[in-house]
Amino acid sequence: MKKTKTEKTVKKTRETPAAEPAFESRLQRHHDELRWLYMELYDNDSMFAELCGRLKSFSDERNQALRRSDAKREAAPDWYKQNDMLGMMFYIDNFAGNMKGVESRLNYLEKCNVNYIHLMPFLDTVEGRSDGGYAVADFRKVQEALGTMEDLESLTAACHKKGINVCMDFVMNHTSQDHEWAKKARQGDGEYMSRYFFFADDEIPRQYEATVPQVFPTTAPGNFTWLPDAQHFVMTSFYPYQWDLNYKNPRVFNEMMYNFLFLANQGIDIIRIDAVPYIWKELGTQCRNLSQVHTIVRMMRMIGEIVCPGVLLLGEVVMEPEKVVPYFGTVEKPECHMLYNVTTMATTWHTVATRDVKLLKKQLDIVNSLPKDYLFLNYLRCHDDIGWGLDYGTLMLEGMGERSHKQYLNDYFQGYAGDSNSRGELYNADPVTGDARFCGTTASMCGVEKADEEKDKQAMEKAIGLDIMLHAYMFMLSGIPVLYGGDEIGQLNDYSYKENPNKAADSRYIHRGAMDWKKAEKISDEDSVEGKIFGRLRRLEQVRKAEKAFVAAADTWTIETWDSSLLCIGRYFEGEKIIGIFNFSEFDKTAWIKEEGEYRDLMTGEDRKAVDVSIPAYGFYYLKRK
Ligand code: GLC
């Protein structure tokens, strides 16, 4: 009989029982707080004892290379806050067919200066009801088409040899309806029904619906699904085939922690906690960001620090800043290591559409005033839609109403406004609230697709200029920049999803197209669109890596330019100062700044004063004080 992965690893460790004083001292450090929080939620001694026992086994199963890396990272806890960190996210099949394919493309990733890859969901899921892999049917099995757990372990080891960190999604809010727990629950097994939210009639679901907003109002309205065979409602905040887990049940918490540690032991460096604000439900609330969610994330952080201290937690909190920041926890009781800078991302596109940097400057001032321990992931777009979560209180003062402004942005990025060159599609347009989100690749939203269609060379230069300027600006923000795979060669929207019945209703697939390796062959051809984008991005990456003012611990602030379309950002670290100026308009402009001293343009090497700087349409400067 074929051995399962776990059996094999356990056997290996039994042969070489490792004296592990580190585990004991890590457990000691966190035990009291962990126990306190566990009891607060579950008041269950035996389940807590079971948890501690299993932590020890997962620690024993961790291989030597990972343990060495844990120890190294514990000794240099800021290892991930350096200026050379650059991420890239991609779907394995789209990028390189399967896990082995990714392993064979590591040289390309190195060429991209990428040292952190986010492998989009790759665990077992059922085609046709997978939500891009976010409906997990088995947390310990890789999708057959992509490979095996052994392939994953081999990939992470190969990445580590090249200094590349690997991130994966941990979808802990729900399982797929095809997960074995869900199958048993559907058959009426009470033990498993209690791991989800089951209701025999609609009385309680109706009470929930009164206060809980909808995630997918058009593609999956409501928060419950009726199961005719089980004669029960089940809670499904996302798609009907994604069943919300009930974390009030300590069995759910324990088992999900074991899954987390199992995955960490495959060599994963960064665990992205999917949809984290949703994991605790209480009747009469919005079921978002409840205090118990923070208790769980805090426990998860401690569990990670006890078993696999080299592993980072990245929280997915796609909400307004006041809701996001608490997921960092406090300095004494940290929760996530990193969070997405989502409001900045949305505000960036608002700025592209309006050519007015005021709101973005205000948003950056807020982010820049936060403690430097808070590390953000910066991105221009990801695999999800762009939701227009902007500071409407401020926009209102400028006469921009929420509904009309969202309408404007959606019209703009669909290419309807006269001065727009963008291409893309709406996502979950809600006829009731008038709300809609947006989907498109960076290049398509910058005008590359339209210029390509119209064979307009001048428009293409402008579009590439905007694309590069946005990346240059994103690299200047405090935190870790993450590219979406394909954006480095300016990949366009992919409309083929409409022909696939499993995808047609979900327009997010428009910006999740397969990597075009034919196009990627042109990265050295400076006359091609791909070569231009890749080459200029590469230069930015090299500059960022070479300049210590880009470390996360640097001071970062905005500088008034006295021009509504020009954003200026300063960075300072250990005597080195860099200022970045970014032109969000299609006109040449002057930044009326007066920074003392002599400066050098980091892109061209030329000397330049940082005083009344003329800056071309969609241009930018990185100026370093000499
Ligand atoms: C996260 C993912 C998104 C998915 C959802 C449900 O928000 O980014 O793609 O649909 O979780 O798991």
Side-chain angles (χ1 to χ4, degrees):
M1 209 178 92
K2 225 174 134 230
K3 268 187 219 137
T4 68
K5 180 84 219 293
T6 350
E7 279 165 355
K8 216 167 63 192
T9 343
V10 170
K11 185 143 176 286
K12 232 188 291 173
T13 12
R14 269 201 219 112
E15 282 159 6
T16 47
E20 191 46 303
F23 173 80
E24 291 307 329
S25 70
R26 287 170 188 149
L27 180 62
Q28 277 281 282
R29 179 151 32 104
H30 290 303
H31 179 273
D32 291 354
E33 191 195 342
L34 185 58
R35 185 170 192 287
W36 180 273
L37 295 180
Y38 195 93
M39 289 303 151
E40 192 179 86
L41 282 193
Y42 301 123
D43 194 18
N44 190 324
D45 269 312
S46 63
M47 289 294 287
F48 182 70
E50 180 201 287
L51 177 72
C52 292
R54 292 296 296 274
L55 298 192
K56 173 83 172 81
S57 348
F58 280 106
S59 170
D60 289 345
E61 286 168 20
R62 209 156 159 75
N63 74 34
Q64 290 301 334
L66 295 176
R67 286 186 205 193
R68 273 197 301 276
S69 148
D70 286 339
K72 227 165 97 191
R73 289 174 175 185
E74 260 185 325
D78 283 347
W79 65 270
Y80 60 99
K81 296 180 177 171
Q82 305 311 311
N83 48 318
D84 63 345
M85 280 298 259
L86 175 65
M88 183 179 276
M89 58 190 297
F90 50 77
Y91 277 97
I92 294 172
D93 53 348
N94 284 341
F95 182 71
N98 56 25
M99 296 253 179
K100 289 248 173 292
V102 177
E103 204 173 321
S104 72
R105 294 282 186 190
L106 294 185
N107 289 345
Y108 175 77
L109 293 171
E110 275 185 312
K111 238 188 247 170
C112 296
N113 289 300
V114 161
N115 57 1
Y116 145 18
I117 52 174
H118 174 181
L119 303 173
M120 298 301 290
F122 54 76
L123 294 175
D124 198 27
T125 187
V126 171
E127 175 84 27
R129 33 176 202 265
S130 80
D131 184 23
Y134 285 95
V136 177
D138 187 341
F139 289 93
R140 308 223 178 170
K141 184 169 176 240
V142 172
Q143 287 167 37
E144 264 160 32
L146 302 180
T148 60
M149 273 297 164
E150 278 73 18
D151 292 344
L152 175 64
E153 211 179 2
S154 149
L155 173 59
T156 57
C159 285
H160 294 160
K161 283 208 185 94
K162 290 186 180 290
I164 298 175
N165 299 287
V166 182
C167 169
M168 77 173 284
D169 288 87
F170 184 52
V171 186
M172 68 184 285
N173 177 67
H174 42 260
T175 74
S176 146
Q177 67 172 42
D178 301 288
H179 190 278
E180 61 162 321
W181 296 356
K183 286 186 187 157
K184 290 184 178 155
R186 199 194 267 274
Q187 284 158 10
D189 184 332
E191 155 68 21
Y192 291 91
M193 287 169 85
S194 73
R195 298 185 187 191
Y196 299 95
F197 295 89
F198 270 76
F199 302 100
D201 57 43
D202 70 350
E203 193 191 327
I204 307 276
R206 265 197 291 121
Q207 291 176 35
Y208 271 111
E209 292 292 10
T211 55
V212 183
Q214 306 185 57
V215 183
F216 297 143
T218 327
T219 47
N223 290 289
F224 291 87
T225 299
W226 172 248
L227 306 172
D229 48 346
Q231 287 292 302
H232 269 80
F233 284 97
V234 65
M235 188 178 229
T236 53
S237 304
F238 292 82
Y239 280 111
Y241 50 78
Q242 289 166 308
W243 294 8
D244 290 74
L245 284 168
N246 182 359
Y247 279 88
K248 284 188 182 161
N249 181 343
R251 175 53 61 207
V252 168
F253 176 79
N254 281 23
E255 292 297 331
M256 290 304 281
M257 289 306 103
Y258 307 153
N259 285 332
F260 152 49
L261 296 174
F262 172 84
L263 294 166
N265 278 357
Q266 311 310 307
I268 298 297
D269 302 276
I270 303 166
I271 293 277
R272 173 187 181 273
I273 320 177
D274 183 61
V276 61
Y278 302 82
I279 60 178
W280 193 276
K281 277 78 177 180
E282 272 318 321
L283 204 57
T285 72
Q286 292 207 332
C287 297
R288 311 268 198 274
N289 306 304
L290 298 177
S291 67
Q292 293 88 341
V293 175
H294 290 282
T295 306
I296 289 180
V297 180
R298 174 68 191 139
M299 287 200 287
M300 210 169 154
R301 170 78 177 242
M302 287 189 278
I303 287 170
E305 285 183 6
I306 293 167
V307 178
C308 47
V311 172
L312 305 175
L313 298 182
L314 161 63
E316 192 225 0
V317 187
V318 181
M319 298 198 165
E320 53 272 45
E322 322 68 279
K323 308 259 170 62
V324 174
V325 171
Y327 286 89
F328 283 119
T330 63
V331 178
E332 293 81 31
K333 297 184 180 354
E335 295 177 24
C336 294
H337 297 82
M338 305 185 289
L339 294 167
Y340 290 96
N341 202 346
V342 56
T343 304
T344 300
M345 183 276 292
T347 310
T348 301
W349 291 108
H350 150 92
T351 312
V352 170
T354 58
R355 280 78 160 166
D356 188 340
V357 300
K358 216 179 297 134
L359 193 69
L360 184 55
K361 183 173 182 305
K362 186 170 177 207
Q363 164 64 15
L364 295 182
D365 289 343
I366 295 172
V367 175
N368 292 335
S369 67
L370 294 171
K372 295 205 188 76
D373 297 304
Y374 294 178
L375 191 70
F376 282 104
L377 284 200
N378 296 303
Y379 61 117
L380 293 173
R381 63 98 167 190
C382 66
H383 67 298
D384 279 330
D385 49 291
I386 300 172
W388 301 117
L390 306 174
D391 171 3
Y392 289 100
T394 299
L395 286 178
M396 217 85 89
L397 301 175
E398 305 275 322
M400 285 181 235
E402 178 166 344
R403 191 164 171 159
S404 57
H405 188 58
K406 280 184 183 169
Q407 172 89 47
Y408 167 72
L409 293 172
N410 284 325
D411 285 351
Y412 182 89
F413 286 109
Q414 286 177 95
Y416 300 158
D419 55 357
S420 165
N421 296 310
S422 169
R423 288 285 183 271
E425 290 178 350
L426 298 188
Y427 180 68
N428 265 277
D430 184 344
V432 180
T433 59
D435 205 9
R437 286 118 76 174
F438 192 79
C439 298
T441 70
T442 306
S444 286
M445 290 178 75
C446 286
V448 176
E449 184 175 331
K450 179 166 182 252
D452 183 52
E453 258 163 37
E454 296 173 356
K455 304 271 164 283
D456 183 336
K457 282 203 173 126
Q458 229 180 334
M460 183 59 91
E461 284 309 314
K462 213 165 92 176
I464 295 174
L466 173 58
D467 186 305
I468 297 299
M469 184 279 288
L470 289 179
H471 280 96
Y473 139 81
M474 197 249 294
F475 281 16
M476 190 86 190
L477 302 178
S478 214
I480 302 178
V482 181
L483 305 171
Y484 193 94
D487 277 5
E488 77 283 6
I489 54 165
Q491 279 216 158
L492 306 179
N493 290 338
D494 176 2
Y495 299 90
S496 67
Y497 79 95
K498 292 177 200 280
E499 282 131 43
N500 181 338
N502 290 334
K503 296 182 175 170
D506 195 330
S507 54
R508 289 177 297 178
Y509 286 103
I510 195 179
H511 55 225
R512 296 175 180 174
M515 178 75 181
D516 187 337
W517 289 103
K518 275 252 148 322
K519 286 194 169 169
E521 278 167 15
K522 295 195 238 161
I523 54 176
S524 312
D525 170 4
E526 285 170 21
D527 293 328
S528 68
V529 173
E530 294 75 19
K532 282 180 187 168
I533 295 182
F534 191 90
R536 290 185 215 177
L537 264 183
R538 178 131 83 157
R539 181 84 196 102
L540 287 174
E541 289 150 8
Q542 287 161 344
V543 167
R544 190 170 190 281
K545 221 155 92 165
E547 297 294 336
K548 65 178 180 192
F550 286 104
V551 295
D555 279 325
T556 311
W557 67 99
T558 63
I559 298 167
E560 182 55 69
T561 63
W562 305 104
D563 182 291
S564 57
S565 303
L566 298 183
L567 179 76
C568 185
I569 301 174
R571 294 186 71 90
Y572 177 88
F573 188 70
E574 291 180 347
E576 299 201 353
K577 177 177 168 187
I578 293 177
I579 61 167
I581 318 171
F582 309 94
N583 185 349
F584 279 79
S585 92
E586 65 277 54
F587 302 109
D588 299 349
K589 296 267 185 165
T590 301
W592 304 106
I593 58 171
K594 306 229 174 323
E595 296 292 302
E596 279 176 17
E598 301 296 318
Y599 284 79
R600 188 164 53 85
D601 181 336
L602 285 174
M603 303 309 288
T604 62
E606 283 164 26
D607 287 344
R608 190 179 283 278
K609 287 226 180 290
V611 175
D612 303 342
V613 184
S614 311
I615 176 160
Y618 291 142
F620 76 93
Y621 288 119
Y622 276 173
L623 303 181
K624 181 176 181 186
R625 195 175 60 188
K626 294 210 280 187

